[in-house]
Amino acid sequence: MQSSASFFLVVPMIPSGVMVELPPETQSAGRVHVKSRGQRLLCFGGCDYFRLSTHSAVIRAAQTALIDGGLDVAASRMTTGNHPIYRQLERALVQFFRMESAVLASSGYASGLLVAQALSGSVTHVFLDERAHGCLRDAAHWLRVPTRDFRHRDPTSLRKQLGRLSVGAKPLIGTDGMFAADGALAPVGDLLELLPENGLLWIDDSHGAGTLGARGRGSMEEAKSRVGARADRLIVTMTLSKAFGCYGGAVLGPAALRERILKKSRLFTGNTPLPPLLAAAAIASIHILKTDPSLRRRLRANTTQLRSALAAEGWPVEASASPVLALTPASDKEAATMQRRLLRAGILPTFIRYPGGPDGGFLRLAVSSEHSAQEVELLGQSLRRD
């Protein structure tokens, strides 16, 4: 057995001038296991919530596209790189999410810059959840308008700030749908209701897309929110690298937004799109999630089982559809104890430090549809509190 110190990732905030090192290397060793420092360990980390990155149909789709079309189109879609597979994927996304249009981005993070470049000059203020993902913050910075934070998941805080706007203001409200660090869900229905007449709501739903909602359509569906007449004021950015197990990003929204991206975004115009084989794999993933509801049922069951087990042990865990949760040790001693127990059970201790989470680090857990009930039970037992 490796020394637990070799896996221990909970450290104080790194002082200025101290070199930052990456965590121990890991690689896939099956659907729910990884190899790390010579050990094969059960993994409850990452964001591959349905383990579609290793699904045989997804891999076959990528292999076929690789053989047929090679690795790369080697040009922007605005020149000679507009391979038909990209439009096929955009149509699949429109049909799956029931949105008016979709535009692909080379990554989920880059999808935010597409939006910012498209909206440049059309918004006057930006209001972000104080724990919003960095992709939203970087995009907001590019807009070069006053940007303010509202309290985390607090519509009242946002309402007060919106109330101070002058007549004619055009605010943009930004939030994660499911927050990456701890799986908290944004009150997206309340935020939509607060939208002023000239406002826009931007949800980065990278973790909620495919995962939340009865059909996997994300945080709006999970909240049972009706967009209705506000559909032209809702923007959703997402990644294909989490629930869909592939790579790339997308912007979902009204057709007018797509047109603005094509006209105004230097990133879209000058960027080489994702390799066609990844687009083909994503189409296969969307088809699987669309036609196999058992994946979401298993994910919900595992989520409920783990959350119930941890709540029974006294961890502050809420009932939620989110497969992600975070546990913060009360002390370094408790953190070390948790780590030893996890390693003893053959589980990778996924202690991380991440924006939006506790500064000192925390245990981020993510169940998948492919974990067995016995494996989820083992995780719960390993995290019992003394």
Side-chain angles (χ1 to χ4, degrees):
M1 176 68 72
Q2 286 277 339
S3 167
S4 63
S6 66
F7 284 96
F8 193 50
L9 304 180
V10 177
V11 295
M13 288 296 289
I14 300 174
S16 176
V18 175
M19 183 177 293
V20 178
E21 294 185 3
L22 292 171
E25 295 176 355
T26 61
Q27 66 182 87
S28 175
R31 302 301 297 280
V32 296
H33 290 82
V34 295
K35 287 182 182 178
S36 185
R37 296 194 173 181
Q39 292 181 253
R40 185 174 186 268
L41 299 167
L42 188 61
C43 183
F44 289 92
C47 311
D48 192 359
Y49 301 118
F50 300 104
R51 297 302 195 262
L52 290 177
S53 65
T54 55
H55 193 288
S56 58
V58 176
I59 292 173
R60 282 197 304 271
Q63 289 172 330
T64 299
L66 174 62
I67 293 169
D68 290 346
L71 281 171
D72 188 15
V73 295
S76 162
R77 288 183 71 186
M78 282 299 198
T79 58
T80 59
N82 193 27
H83 193 290
I85 195 74
Y86 301 132
R87 197 69 189 110
Q88 293 170 28
L89 176 52
E90 288 171 341
R91 285 196 293 265
L93 288 167
V94 165
Q95 293 169 2
F96 185 88
F97 288 101
R98 300 288 179 89
M99 299 288 280
E100 193 171 273
S101 76
V103 182
L104 292 181
S106 54
S107 71
Y109 207 104
S111 65
L113 186 53
L114 291 183
V115 172
Q117 291 180 344
L119 295 182
S120 178
S122 64
V123 300
T124 60
H125 301 76
V126 176
F127 297 95
L128 296 178
D129 185 290
E130 64 184 354
R131 296 187 186 176
H133 194 273
C135 66
L136 286 166
R137 295 199 171 277
D138 287 348
H141 179 74
W142 199 95
L143 286 166
R144 298 183 176 88
V145 299
T147 300
R148 301 286 183 270
D149 285 356
F150 59 90
R151 286 195 299 272
H152 183 48
R153 301 196 299 160
D154 188 344
T156 300
S157 173
L158 175 61
R159 182 184 294 110
K160 290 178 180 177
Q161 297 200 46
L162 291 174
R164 301 188 188 108
L165 294 177
S166 60
V167 176
K170 298 178 180 179
L172 172 66
I173 300 167
T175 183
D176 300 33
M178 180 199 298
F179 288 83
D182 61 4
L185 304 184
V188 292
D190 293 335
L191 300 183
L192 190 65
E193 290 297 323
L194 286 175
L195 266 184
E197 184 177 348
N198 293 325
L200 295 169
L201 175 61
W202 178 359
I203 302 171
D204 183 75
D205 217 14
S206 290
H207 291 266
T211 305
L212 298 176
R215 301 170 188 82
R217 292 176 186 155
S219 58
M220 291 296 294
E221 185 181 37
E222 182 66 33
K224 298 181 173 59
S225 297
R226 297 182 181 276
V227 179
R230 291 189 170 93
D232 62 341
R233 292 190 279 157
L234 175 65
I235 299 168
V236 176
T237 49
M238 58 165 287
T239 182
L240 295 164
S241 66
K242 303 193 186 315
F244 296 94
C246 299
Y247 195 76
V251 180
L252 309 175
L257 177 63
R258 174 184 169 84
E259 184 177 353
R260 288 180 68 95
I261 290 173
L262 269 58
K263 285 182 177 179
K264 298 188 63 176
S265 173
R266 289 198 296 258
L267 176 61
F268 185 85
T269 299
N271 188 52
T272 302
L274 65 158
L277 66 96
L278 295 177
I283 291 172
S285 291
I286 292 169
H287 177 73
I288 291 167
L289 283 182
K290 188 175 181 179
T291 58
D292 187 1
S294 70
L295 289 171
R296 280 187 294 280
R297 285 198 297 268
R298 294 203 302 272
L299 183 64
R300 289 290 175 109
N302 286 345
T303 296
T304 300
Q305 180 186 353
L306 180 59
R307 286 181 172 273
S308 298
L310 294 176
E313 289 298 320
W315 289 104
V317 175
E318 300 176 354
S320 171
S322 170
V324 177
L325 52 89
L327 303 181
T328 305
S331 64
D332 287 348
K333 180 180 179 181
E334 184 176 40
T337 299
M338 291 167 66
Q339 180 169 254
R340 285 194 298 270
R341 288 177 176 175
L342 289 169
L343 284 171
R344 194 179 302 125
I347 300 172
L348 180 73
T350 50
F351 282 97
I352 65 170
R353 194 193 299 99
Y354 193 82
D359 289 343
F362 57 101
L363 181 67
R364 181 187 183 274
L365 300 173
V367 293
S368 79
S369 60
E370 303 312 290
H371 286 105
S372 68
Q374 292 76 22
E375 289 166 338
V376 176
E377 181 180 6
L378 176 63
L379 176 61
Q381 291 174 345
S382 302
L383 293 169
R384 285 180 176 168
R385 308 189 88 171
D386 293 330

